[in-house]
């Protein structure tokens, strides 16, 4: 099983794009995002990028989510 793990994206488009591109290019089986995806409510519009991934995404909320 191939896992992709990341944390602290802080609602930045370039970080979300890196995750999406890496998952698609490397045939990842599951994605684990460990907190601080957003930056206190900002950047929530990038979450839709995760919906389009071919792998299940598991998220643990961080203090800025």
């Amino acid at each position: 099983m191939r896992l992709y793990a990341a944390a602290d994206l802080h609602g930045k488009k370039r970080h979300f794009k890196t995750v999406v591109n890496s998952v698609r290019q490397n045939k990842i089986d599951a994605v684990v995002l460990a907190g601080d995806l957003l930056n206190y409510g900002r950047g929530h519009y990038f979450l839709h990028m995760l919906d389009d991934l071919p792998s299940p995404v598991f998220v643990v909320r961080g203090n800025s989510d």
Side-chain angles (χ1 to χ4, degrees), residues 11-59:
K12 296 192 179 191
K13 185 177 184 177
R14 64 185 163 102
H15 296 321
F16 278 89
K17 282 181 137 182
T18 298
V19 170
V20 169
N21 292 336
S22 295
V23 169
R24 287 193 176 139
Q25 291 174 0
N26 295 297
K27 297 180 184 174
I28 300 299
D29 296 308
V31 179
V32 178
L33 300 175
D36 294 344
L37 282 123
L38 305 179
N39 196 21
Y40 299 100
R42 293 184 302 232
H44 65 277
Y45 35 87
F46 295 126
L47 294 178
H48 76 280
M49 295 171 77
L50 303 176
D51 289 335
D52 296 331
L53 289 176
S55 309
V57 178
F58 301 92
V59 176

